[in-house]
């Protein structure tokens, strides 16, 4: 696939229920990216900053999904928070996992997802999710507007294109809605949704901020529904750190989260500039389309902002949402307790100490 095709269609490759153990061996790929560099005794760093440089691994290639991080970097929020630099490391199909990077200490913080982090923790990784960008997971079923699939029930007797790495989450969707695999014809798929446009299948596992937009741009009118609205209310683009960061670098983590919040407030307020930063600056090598990225930025805001974030601030999670995620993971046969996976206390301290950030 070309870089453009990968940025347009290929991103689903890492949005799946991957086992941490299968990725841990690739951790050496980040060896050149130190999690903390330039440290010197006495509380300051060689670069003169309070916290030095940190490595932050993104969950995918540098596209619109990370607009808040781009703003925080471009507008100096990270620097004002005390960081010498924040190295935004692109993820992708060929990269090691965030969890593996945290395990080796090559990554200080990473953007991941509960269904990926939870198995790693159950296998011994001392880490926690401390915030989330998306209040809803963008997983969706996209279909033709001429023969729309608007609910899981509508999939019965229909052909659904499902990528191999997304079989588990698709099966979890069926389970959450009292359906059996045999009630749907699963068609093994790759990541280019052309078979849907060609009528070879009736539905397609996709990301709501991507395929529906790219298909519409190609003239294919479509409909979709979110997994999150039908029994799988998982969050996404979760900020994950090692437990030692929470225990020993709490002020540093709070400073980072405050800068993140500022960045995401800007991103939500200005989708056009979000797209420009993705296309012209941070994701320049991806040859992204500005108009498409702008539309995706607008669509993304519906996942980032909610009634709860209006009340509690961006990146936050209510106790109820945390419990919904634990229940959703259980549906996917990932049994973990909330206290094992989530620690929102740091973020809540940030907002308590900086009420103006809301």
């Amino acid at each position: 696939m070309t870089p453009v095709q990968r940025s347009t269609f290929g991103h689903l490759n890492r949005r799946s229920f991957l086992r941490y153990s299968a990725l841990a061996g690739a951790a050496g790929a980040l060896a050149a990216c130190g999690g903390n560099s330039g440290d010197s005794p006495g509380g300051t760093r060689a670069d003169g900053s309070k916290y030095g440089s940190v490595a932050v691994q993104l969950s995918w290639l540098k596209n619109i999904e990370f607009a808040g991080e781009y703003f925080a970097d471009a507008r100096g929020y990270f620097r004002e928070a005390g960081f010498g630099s924040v190295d935004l490391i692109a993820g992708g199909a060929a990269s090691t996992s965030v969890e593996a990077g945290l395990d080796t200490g090559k990554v200080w913080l990473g953007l991941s997802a509960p269904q990926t982090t939870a198995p790693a923790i159950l296998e011994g990784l001392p880490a926690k999710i401390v915030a989330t960008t998306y209040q809803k997971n963008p997983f969706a079923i996209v279909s033709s507007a001429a023969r729309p699939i608007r609910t899981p029930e509508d999939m019965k007797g229909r052909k659904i294109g499902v990528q191999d790495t997304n079989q588990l989450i698709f099966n979890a969707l069926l389970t959450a809605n009292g359906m059996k695999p045999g009630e749907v014809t699963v068609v093994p798929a790759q990541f280019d949704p052309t078979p849907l446009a060609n009528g070879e299948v009736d539905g397609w596992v996709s990301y709501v901020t991507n395929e529906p937009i790219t298909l519409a741009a190609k003239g294919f009118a479509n409909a979709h529904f979110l997994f999150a609205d039908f029994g799988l209310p998982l969050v996404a683009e979760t900020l994950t750190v090692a437990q030692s960061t929470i225990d020993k670098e709490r002020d540093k983590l709070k400073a980072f989260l405050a800068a993140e919040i500022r960045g995401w407030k800007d991103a939500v307020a200005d989708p056009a500039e979000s797209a420009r930063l993705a296309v012209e600056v941070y994701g320049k090598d991806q040859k992204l389309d500005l108009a498409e990225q702008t539309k995706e930025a607008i669509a993304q805001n519906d996942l980032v902002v909610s009634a709860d974030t209006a009340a509690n601030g961006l990146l936050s999670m209510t106790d109820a949402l945390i419990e919904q995620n634990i229940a959703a993971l259980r549906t996917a046969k990932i049994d973990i307790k909330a206290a094992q996976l989530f620690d929102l206390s740091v973020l809540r301290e940030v907002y308590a100490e900086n009420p103006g950030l809301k």
Side-chain angles (χ1 to χ4, degrees):
M1 301 178 77
T2 67
V4 174
Q5 287 172 319
R6 287 182 65 186
S7 65
T8 301
F9 298 127
H11 64 291
L12 283 172
N13 192 39
R14 49 89 180 181
R15 295 179 174 126
S16 56
F17 286 78
L18 297 174
R19 294 300 292 170
Y20 164 70
S21 58
L23 292 169
L30 287 179
C33 304
N36 298 285
S37 61
D39 289 2
S40 62
T44 58
R45 302 299 186 264
D47 59 10
S49 68
K50 185 175 182 179
Y51 297 122
S53 300
V54 295
V56 173
Q57 186 174 337
L58 308 177
S59 60
W60 190 238
L61 306 176
K62 292 183 179 179
N63 61 15
I64 196 62
E65 292 176 42
F66 314 107
E69 285 73 32
Y70 303 156
F71 271 106
D73 184 55
R75 293 190 171 174
Y77 301 155
F78 287 138
R79 187 172 59 254
E80 291 172 16
F83 293 90
S85 66
V86 172
D87 183 14
L88 300 176
I89 303 167
S95 72
T96 189
S97 71
V98 162
E99 289 74 18
L102 289 170
D103 187 43
T104 61
K106 302 304 180 183
V107 172
W108 182 71
L109 180 146
L111 296 175
S112 189
Q115 66 267 22
T116 307
T117 304
I121 290 172
L122 290 172
E123 290 172 9
L125 178 70
K128 290 285 192 338
I129 292 171
V130 295
T132 188
T133 308
Y134 289 173
Q135 296 291 300
K136 283 185 175 184
N137 194 298
F139 268 120
I141 296 294
V142 63
S143 57
S144 167
R147 296 188 64 211
I149 297 174
R150 301 190 186 280
T151 69
E153 188 78 13
D154 291 346
M155 294 192 299
K156 288 184 177 179
R158 310 285 287 276
K159 295 179 180 179
I160 308 297
V162 184
Q163 302 79 13
D164 182 62
T165 51
N166 292 323
Q167 289 284 355
L168 283 175
I169 194 169
F170 180 73
N171 288 339
L173 174 69
L174 298 181
T175 300
N177 289 276
M179 297 170 63
K180 298 177 180 178
E183 295 179 286
V184 178
T185 300
V186 172
V187 177
Q190 298 300 316
F191 303 100
D192 180 343
T194 298
L196 174 63
N198 290 343
E200 298 170 36
V201 295
D202 302 302
W204 196 265
V205 174
S206 71
Y207 238 36
V208 71
T209 53
N210 194 287
E211 279 81 358
I213 293 170
T214 58
L215 285 166
K218 296 176 183 298
F220 183 77
N222 60 80
H224 68 267
F225 73 81
L226 284 171
F227 288 27
D229 291 336
F230 291 91
L232 282 183
L234 294 166
V235 293
E237 300 298 1
T238 44
L239 280 68
T240 304
V241 298
Q243 182 64 47
S244 60
T245 296
I246 298 172
D247 296 339
K248 300 176 181 179
E249 299 181 301
R250 198 172 186 90
D251 287 344
K252 180 177 177 178
L253 179 56
K254 285 160 67 173
F256 181 88
L257 291 175
E260 277 276 291
I261 293 165
R262 294 176 69 189
W264 273 105
K265 286 181 71 174
D266 288 356
V268 167
D270 196 345
E273 179 62 7
S274 294
R276 189 194 70 80
L277 287 172
V279 173
E280 298 181 7
V281 184
Y282 294 89
K284 189 174 182 179
D285 61 337
Q286 299 301 313
K287 296 180 171 57
L288 302 168
D289 179 83
L290 183 62
E292 180 183 298
Q293 292 289 291
T294 302
K295 290 178 181 177
E296 292 189 17
I298 294 169
Q300 177 172 266
N301 280 353
D302 289 337
L303 304 174
V304 174
V305 177
S306 69
D308 287 338
T309 63
N312 304 310
L314 296 177
L315 308 187
S316 62
M317 289 183 72
T318 63
D319 290 340
L321 183 57
I322 288 173
E323 288 304 326
Q324 288 169 14
N325 272 256
I326 295 301
L329 290 172
R330 197 174 299 119
T331 300
K333 296 180 171 49
I334 301 173
D335 195 0
I336 191 169
K337 293 180 173 61
Q340 291 176 278
L341 182 57
F342 296 101
D343 186 346
L344 274 292
S345 66
V346 182
L347 184 67
R348 289 168 183 168
E349 285 178 19
V350 171
Y351 277 117
E353 296 165 8
N354 304 276
L357 284 176
K358 286 187 179 179

